[in-house]
Amino acid sequence: MGQVTVVTGGSRGIGAAVAVRLAGAGHAIGIGYERAREAADETAAAVRAAGAACVTVRVDTSVDEQVDSLFATVAEQLGPVTGLVNNAGITGPIGRFADTDPKVMRRVVDVNVTGALLCARRAVREMSTRHGGRGGAIVNISSCAATTGSPGEYVHYAASKAAVDAMTTGLSKELAEEGIRVNSVQPGMILTDIHASMGDAERPWRNRDRVPMRRPGEPGEIAGAVAWLLSPDASYTTGAVLRVGGGL
């Protein structure tokens, strides 16, 4: 049986690049998106053009019933789920910590932490041999911010991504004997529209000198790391936090 992978936040940016890259490697793709339906449809078209089956599902990953519906729909239309790319995430507006609205902080934690936990939980229940599954792999999309802390920009976001890495470490050990590998990828400064959504569209270029390679990365460069972690070549890799940040 083939690989069936759920990609949350799969309509744009890193998620879209991951979906298309995995499609080229033979994965059927379930795209979870929250608002960008047109972008999700465009990504789905690119996945199908690469020769893979695809379904799109609208989902707020912080709502457990919607997460259950996402996985149920993907399993029904594409087959048993074998992989999850936990990519859905938000930052909120850029700014100093003391000036950040508590409502923004709560929403960032809801999506980046609770959402990632809920998606991982459902994936485990689908894939774990302990639950009757055939095994699989989870890749959590974290951020270099998890260790840099992002002072003056979004400390709350950095904290949420550190939580994702802690989840990666714990789950990798808990699930090692249940046929599930769990790893994390930490992107650095990547050229996506997340910078515009946080209020600084030129941020990747304005801050490129702090990256040792002196340039921002492309979504495809993150997708390559994710694809490797989901591949048989990474069969002995679990609990890894792979930094893809140009030396950041």
Side-chain angles (χ1 to χ4, degrees):
M1 297 179 68
Q3 292 175 286
V4 177
T5 301
V6 172
V7 182
T8 64
S11 61
R12 296 178 293 190
I14 290 172
V18 166
V20 175
R21 177 65 176 263
L22 293 177
H27 295 238
I29 303 295
I31 294 174
Y33 71 96
E34 185 179 12
R35 290 186 298 271
R37 179 172 182 174
E38 184 175 338
D41 288 342
E42 291 176 359
T43 301
V47 166
R48 294 179 183 116
C54 185
V55 61
T56 62
V57 182
R58 186 171 185 176
V59 59
D60 179 340
T61 56
S62 70
V63 180
D64 52 348
E65 295 88 356
Q66 294 188 32
V67 170
D68 287 341
S69 178
L70 165 65
F71 278 82
T73 301
V74 172
E76 179 182 350
Q77 297 195 26
L78 301 179
V81 173
T82 62
L84 166 65
V85 181
N86 237 339
N87 173 68
I90 58 174
T91 65
I94 198 168
R96 294 182 62 82
F97 180 74
D99 298 327
T100 303
D101 190 327
K103 292 180 180 178
V104 170
M105 292 183 183
R106 290 190 181 95
R107 182 58 182 162
V108 167
V109 171
D110 276 349
V111 174
N112 296 3
V113 182
T114 304
L117 288 167
L118 290 174
C119 288
R121 178 182 182 274
R122 180 56 192 254
V124 170
R125 296 177 73 86
E126 294 281 332
M127 300 188 299
S128 167
T129 55
R130 181 170 179 264
H131 292 275
R134 58 191 177 105
I138 297 171
V139 177
N140 297 313
I141 304 301
S142 175
S143 171
C144 288
T147 58
T148 66
S150 294
E153 294 187 329
Y154 38 52
V155 169
H156 57 289
Y157 170 80
S160 75
K161 290 303 186 178
V164 168
D165 288 339
M167 176 182 73
T168 298
T169 299
L171 283 182
S172 69
K173 295 175 180 179
E174 183 170 314
L175 302 173
E177 292 185 287
E178 298 179 26
I180 300 177
R181 297 182 299 103
V182 186
N183 295 288
S184 175
V185 172
Q186 292 182 337
M189 190 79 69
I190 307 299
L191 291 171
T192 71
D193 59 7
I194 195 172
H195 305 287
S197 69
M198 73 174 70
D200 189 359
E202 297 302 314
R203 179 172 175 266
W205 302 109
R206 180 173 53 78
N207 290 325
R208 64 181 175 179
D209 287 347
R210 70 180 176 184
V211 179
M213 288 183 70
R214 295 295 188 269
R215 68 171 178 87
E218 297 284 348
E221 293 176 297
I222 306 303
V226 174
W228 178 74
L229 287 170
L230 288 174
S231 77
D233 288 340
S235 59
Y236 198 56
T237 303
T238 194
V241 178
L242 178 57
R243 201 171 183 91
V244 188
L248 188 66

